[in-house]
Amino acid sequence: MRRQLLQRYLPDPERLRRYRSLRFVHPLIDKRALWQVSRHTVANAFSVGLFCALLPIPCQMLVAALGAWVMRANLPLSIALVWLTNPLTMPVVFYTTYRVGAWVLQRPPMQLPDQLSVQWFATQLTDAMPSLVLGSLICAVVIGGLANVLTRLIWRWQITRLWRRRRRRHSRS
């Protein structure tokens, strides 16, 4: 992960401070540590963002912001990764986490009816909720942990690759 690439796409805290609608998050915006781009802050941001993305709760972005503050992760990246579960991907992601939870609880997964309706979801929600919550937590922990480890490994691999290139350039001179 190139630091310059990430910094190019992440918002500038000075610019965000000018928005009146964001006054309630000024304490977070003012913390410089939450805006750093380093191996640790980016890896923690991947953990926090992907963990929160897989939780079937409202206000995932606020939870991600709080998680970024607690874990000393990159704040904008943590919040951006929550959008992995957007209105297009949410049904697939949460159905998958439901299936994982049903498998762990050894419950047969519910079969979808021929005609989906809001009423069907409302009646089935109480039966599906334990499987959905457990499956979401399991997937969130596993994917968040893997993302952290992979981000650190990829970052380290790129740094050592850059060092080797520099060493080769200097040895030729």
Side-chain angles (χ1 to χ4, degrees):
M1 303 237 168
R2 291 274 171 106
R3 183 177 297 178
Q4 297 86 3
L5 178 70
L6 284 174
Q7 287 175 334
R8 182 182 321 153
Y9 292 107
L10 294 176
D12 180 38
E14 295 298 323
R15 202 167 128 215
L16 291 177
R17 203 174 281 118
R18 287 186 232 134
Y19 291 111
R20 288 184 179 177
S21 60
L22 295 177
R23 280 191 181 159
F24 69 98
V25 291
H26 275 234
L28 283 177
I29 293 173
D30 289 337
K31 295 208 180 279
R32 286 278 178 219
L34 295 176
W35 295 87
Q36 283 184 336
V37 177
S38 70
R39 181 176 67 209
H40 303 291
T41 60
V42 171
N44 289 347
F46 269 88
S47 288
V48 169
L50 293 177
F51 180 86
C52 293
L54 294 174
L55 297 179
I57 58 172
C59 305
Q60 292 171 321
M61 290 172 51
L62 290 175
V63 175
L66 180 64
W69 178 67
V70 169
M71 296 273 301
R72 294 186 179 138
N74 184 284
L75 177 68
L77 190 56
S78 297
I79 292 172
L81 285 166
V82 167
W83 281 95
L84 172 76
T85 50
N86 57 57
L88 292 175
T89 62
M90 222 178 256
V92 174
V93 170
F94 289 140
Y95 181 70
T96 303
T97 59
Y98 161 74
R99 293 290 301 242
V100 169
W103 177 73
V104 169
L105 293 175
Q106 297 179 348
R107 290 184 176 179
M110 292 185 301
Q111 298 301 319
L112 294 175
D114 294 335
Q115 191 71 14
L116 289 177
S117 67
V118 175
Q119 182 183 3
W120 180 84
F121 277 111
T123 58
Q124 300 297 322
L125 193 59
T126 55
D127 292 338
M129 195 53 80
S131 298
L132 177 64
V133 169
L134 180 64
S136 294
L137 284 173
I138 290 170
C139 290
V141 168
V142 169
I143 290 174
L146 281 174
N148 190 305
V149 170
L150 285 174
T151 303
R152 289 173 191 263
L153 287 173
I154 290 169
W155 194 294
R156 184 178 211 126
W157 174 74
Q158 286 187 340
I159 294 296
T160 55
R161 205 172 102 216
L162 287 173
W163 286 350
R164 286 182 188 141
R165 281 185 188 169
R166 283 185 194 163
R167 220 178 290 139
R168 278 189 231 132
R169 271 191 240 137
H170 290 302
S171 64
R172 290 180 197 162
S173 314

